[in-house]
Amino acid sequence: MTNINGRQGGAGWVRLILFFGCVWTWVLGGSDTHAMEIKLQAQLIWGTNDEKPAHDDCKEVSGRLREKLGRVFKWKNYFLIKEETFTVKSGAPRRVKMSDKCTLEFQVVDDFTLEVQLFGEGTLLKTVRQPIQALRQGELAVLAGDAKDKLGDAWFVVLTMPRK
Amino acid sequence: MNEQTAWRLQAWLDGELPSDEAAEVLRLVNADAEAAALVRELKLTRAWLTGNELRRAVPESREFYWSKIERELRPVAAKAAEAAPHPAGGWGWWRWLIPATLAAALAVFLWMPGSSPPRQNAGLAPAEVENPPEDLGNITFRSDSEQMTVYWVNNL
């Protein structure tokens, strides 16, 4: 009888440990899977040495971004074609169309990583994983390339995390 | 005027002669019309070159410009490596044993508990880029001073 009671008592402890183990695992796991939401800004920019292109509604990039672009690249003029501000939630990929040719898809991979996919006319061209913490600290992620339509020009998609 | 004198005149113009020799050359220039003419011509040439040299501006930053050159050179180097003849015979099964050993070591390393990399630096680690096979010509670079990571895509 005592032996049986003793075994039952041991099983109770095991159950208790398993219970707290599950709770602990859930708490730890929760930090990776909790709903995360980040705010982003994407700017489609045209770089050229010519004057303002034929896009009616584009405006010249100015301020700090213009200075940064000017120090890394040496195009004379940078024109903002389109600007989008949006949020991306974990577990919910977000598509943003920047132009007829260029679409971006954003996905929060985990607390640390944002995945950006660049599609050109529906075809996946590039997948980039960007540290979220770096974006929070002001990092600029720039997807760019030579313009196929106009020799010598370039396009830029500048991704930033806007200050709240 | 011989060639030696012409060289001395040029050295004098460039300020390369010691003071006693320079004084001697100055006397020569004052006395000899041919030497004076050569000095004038050399001065004129120098002025033209320094004042009218064509400055070619590169439409990218220095680091980006050189990374493009590196990108162009890389496929050539890869092709050359492929074209290089493999050492004949002798290798035999060693050729397979080395990669098999490496793969086995990697498998053991991955299997070992606690061998996964720590994540505490993940937030600030350099951006990780996945490249499909078709975009091998693309380049990525980071400007620390501007806090900017650039992914240059060639195929859009």
Side-chain angles (χ1 to χ4, degrees):
Chain A
M1 191 70 180
T2 309
N3 194 20
I4 290 170
N5 285 341
R7 283 177 66 186
Q8 280 176 342
W13 276 108
V14 169
R15 282 198 200 101
L16 197 64
I17 290 167
L18 280 174
F19 172 75
F20 280 112
C22 288
V23 170
W24 185 246
T25 307
W26 178 73
V27 168
L28 286 181
S31 66
D32 274 346
T33 57
H34 73 266
M36 189 181 173
E37 184 175 304
I38 58 169
K39 191 176 181 184
L40 291 169
Q41 186 179 57
Q43 292 169 293
L44 178 61
I45 290 168
W46 195 261
T48 179
N49 287 325
D50 298 337
E51 295 310 309
K52 191 174 177 177
H55 305 92
D56 293 334
D57 52 350
C58 71
K59 62 178 181 181
E60 198 161 351
V61 177
S62 58
R64 206 159 148 258
L65 178 59
R66 170 66 184 85
E67 288 170 13
K68 279 176 174 270
L69 289 172
R71 284 194 290 261
V72 175
F73 308 102
K74 297 293 171 61
W75 277 275
K76 202 169 124 194
N77 296 313
Y78 298 88
F79 296 102
L80 180 65
I81 308 295
K82 189 175 183 182
E83 184 177 83
E84 289 279 345
T85 305
F86 51 92
T87 55
V88 187
K89 293 177 185 170
S90 55
R94 175 75 186 257
R95 274 206 169 214
V96 177
K97 188 175 179 183
M98 299 304 293
S99 72
D100 290 340
K101 288 184 179 176
C102 172
T103 302
L104 299 167
E105 185 169 304
F106 299 87
Q107 187 170 2
V108 176
V109 178
D110 54 33
D111 282 359
F112 308 100
T113 315
L114 172 75
E115 186 175 272
V116 185
Q117 291 187 312
L118 171 71
F119 293 88
E121 295 174 318
T123 308
L124 175 64
L125 300 177
K126 186 92 177 166
T127 303
V128 166
R129 286 194 166 183
Q130 188 69 26
I132 292 172
Q133 184 60 21
L135 288 169
R136 278 203 187 100
Q137 292 175 354
E139 177 87 7
L140 270 66
V142 181
L143 290 150
D146 295 312
K148 296 284 183 285
D149 302 341
K150 193 164 184 303
L151 192 65
D153 287 4
W155 58 269
F156 305 87
V157 175
V158 180
L159 302 174
T160 51
M161 195 176 278
R163 308 260 179 211
K164 288 176 183 173
Chain B
M1 185 194 317
N2 60 23
E3 191 180 348
Q4 182 71 26
T5 308
W7 282 117
R8 284 187 75 201
L9 286 170
Q10 196 166 330
W12 173 70
L13 265 181
D14 293 339
E16 293 170 352
L17 294 182
S19 55
D20 54 336
E21 274 191 60
E24 190 184 323
V25 172
L26 181 60
R27 279 196 296 277
L28 175 68
V29 171
N30 289 332
D32 188 345
E34 194 182 357
L38 179 59
V39 166
R40 269 198 307 276
E41 191 180 332
L42 286 171
K43 279 183 178 173
L44 202 58
T45 305
R46 185 165 63 184
W48 280 342
L49 285 175
T50 53
N52 298 293
E53 191 175 7
L54 183 62
R55 294 187 72 81
R56 300 291 299 269
V58 179
E60 297 106 3
S61 65
R62 179 188 168 84
E63 57 187 343
F64 182 54
Y65 181 76
W66 285 109
S67 71
K68 280 173 77 174
I69 292 174
E70 188 186 357
R71 180 187 54 181
E72 291 300 319
L73 290 174
R74 201 178 296 139
V76 175
K79 278 179 194 167
E82 280 172 17
H86 292 289
W91 272 95
W93 52 276
W94 279 100
R95 207 168 40 175
W96 302 103
L97 183 66
I98 291 170
T101 310
L102 287 173
L106 183 66
V108 169
F109 176 76
L110 290 175
W111 175 78
M112 281 170 64
S115 63
S116 59
R119 296 187 61 188
Q120 60 266 27
N121 291 329
L124 291 172
E128 179 187 329
V129 184
E130 293 175 358
N131 291 325
E134 64 269 20
D135 72 0
L136 287 175
N138 296 344
I139 55 170
T140 300
F141 73 95
R142 186 172 191 280
S143 167
D144 288 333
S145 58
E146 302 305 327
Q147 269 191 291
M148 185 190 291
T149 307
V150 178
Y151 309 96
W152 198 263
V153 182
N154 280 317
N155 41 6
L156 179 64

